[in-house]
Amino acid sequence: MVTFDSIIILARKLLDVLLVWLLIYYALKHIRKNVKMVLLFKGILVIIILKVVSDFFNLVTVSYLLDYVIMWGPLALIIIFQPEIRNVLEQLGRSQLLGRHKALTVDEREKMVYEIMNAVEYLKRSRIGALMVIERDNSLSEYIEKSRKLYADISSELLISIFFPNNPLHDGGVIIQGDQITSAGAVFPTSDSVKISKRLGTRHRAALGISEQSDCLALIVSEETGRISIAVGGVLHYNLTLDEFKMMLLEELRPKEQSYYEEEEDVENEKAEK
């Protein structure tokens, strides 16, 4: 017979498992964007496999050494990888559980893309370097606090004037929240990824670095070549055409719920056609 106490116990166990699953999920989600943490995770897996093999074949010396590694390893890892562990915890703390800074309507989103594209087209043609970072679910307040706050409606004229040569703020990045330019002159961490070309400068490395640490969109215009790129999820989409740039920007800014329903609608349409 099912009693109220048994239901409470079951609910408590389910909540316990759910919380552990969420912690593991968010930890792995942020670890996969950090090269050093991925290597650390692989190293731990190798040690666990060696321990299982040594116990199975009764390798006394190897097992003895691995016991010491497992005993003191966590303390050593905390000391050695303190910056990486701090970054993961900061990412968890910056996550906004209620979503974006502001949910844009279709018209607001199209106007935002229109203004950005006008600015990017001019900057590309004039070979003026620029870095624009669009906040999504992860807060960028840490970088906003250290930059020059503007809180102005987004416009192509304002973006162009910010990055115009000799402007005191042109060397830093612009942070966009919703349909507003929140701040300018922002400084972002540069990526230490070995995959990025050595020919790319600080602006591209900063864009890739902030995209590794958050889910933002980083838009780059190269000062030397005029080439335009987008960094998202720790991946740099380099040397895009204006059409490719616009399509990717629209796709990434589209709400997740809308993307899901459109995919469902496409599947239903394909079934209907068959």
Side-chain angles (χ1 to χ4, degrees), residues 155-215:
S155 69
S156 56
E157 294 83 3
L158 180 56
L159 288 171
I160 292 169
S161 65
I162 289 173
F163 293 111
F164 203 79
N166 298 325
N167 187 313
L169 300 175
H170 85 282
D171 279 336
V174 159
I175 297 178
I176 299 173
Q177 290 180 312
D179 57 352
Q180 278 200 330
I181 299 174
T182 303
S183 65
V187 178
F188 303 110
T190 57
S191 173
D192 56 0
S193 173
V194 296
K195 296 181 181 179
I196 188 172
S197 173
K198 294 182 179 179
R199 294 177 298 174
L200 299 179
T202 305
R203 190 173 282 113
H204 288 84
R205 291 186 176 275
L208 191 59
I210 190 61
S211 74
E212 290 172 345
Q213 297 192 16
S214 77
D215 66 341

Side-chain angles (χ1 to χ4, degrees), residues 55-247:
D55 289 344
F56 181 80
F57 290 104
N58 197 25
L59 304 176
V60 179
T61 305
V62 175
S63 182
Y64 181 76
L65 291 174
L66 288 175
D67 284 339
Y68 271 98
V69 171
I70 294 171
M71 182 185 302
W72 298 104
L75 179 61
L77 291 176
I78 291 173
I79 296 172
I80 296 172
F81 291 94
Q82 182 184 358
E84 286 72 21
I85 294 172
R86 186 178 67 247
N87 286 337
V88 171
L89 294 176
E90 286 176 353
Q91 284 299 315
L92 291 173
R94 283 199 294 264
S95 296
Q96 296 177 353
L97 297 178
L98 298 179
R100 298 182 182 183
H101 178 76
K102 176 185 177 183
L104 299 177
T105 64
V106 175
D107 291 339
E108 288 173 335
R109 191 165 67 250
E110 288 181 353
K111 181 181 183 301
M112 173 185 174
V113 172
Y114 173 79
E115 297 292 345
I116 290 176
M117 288 306 304
N118 280 346
V120 167
E121 188 173 358
Y122 178 88
L123 296 168
K124 172 182 171 64
R125 186 171 61 250
S126 305
R127 292 197 177 184
I128 298 174
L131 173 57
M132 310 173 207
V133 176
I134 304 175
E135 181 188 86
R136 295 203 284 183
D137 289 336
N138 295 149
S139 173
L140 298 175
S141 58
E142 173 188 351
Y143 305 100
I144 294 171
E145 288 299 320
K146 300 175 183 178
S147 58
R148 177 67 66 181
K149 300 172 188 63
L150 300 177
Y151 299 109
D153 291 337
I154 190 168
S155 69
S156 56
E157 294 83 3
L158 180 56
L159 288 171
I160 292 169
S161 65
I162 289 173
F163 293 111
F164 203 79
N166 298 325
N167 187 313
L169 300 175
H170 85 282
D171 279 336
V174 159
I175 297 178
I176 299 173
Q177 290 180 312
D179 57 352
Q180 278 200 330
I181 299 174
T182 303
S183 65
V187 178
F188 303 110
T190 57
S191 173
D192 56 0
S193 173
V194 296
K195 296 181 181 179
I196 188 172
S197 173
K198 294 182 179 179
R199 294 177 298 174
L200 299 179
T202 305
R203 190 173 282 113
H204 288 84
R205 291 186 176 275
L208 191 59
I210 190 61
S211 74
E212 290 172 345
Q213 297 192 16
S214 77
D215 66 341
C216 67
L217 291 177
L219 317 178
I220 316 105
V221 180
S222 173
E223 185 174 356
E224 289 77 16
T225 63
R227 292 174 178 173
I228 54 177
S229 311
I230 296 179
V232 57
V235 178
L236 180 65
H237 302 269
Y238 182 68
N239 193 19
L240 301 173
T241 65
L242 284 169
D243 288 337
E244 291 171 340
F245 190 95
K246 182 178 180 179
M247 291 302 296

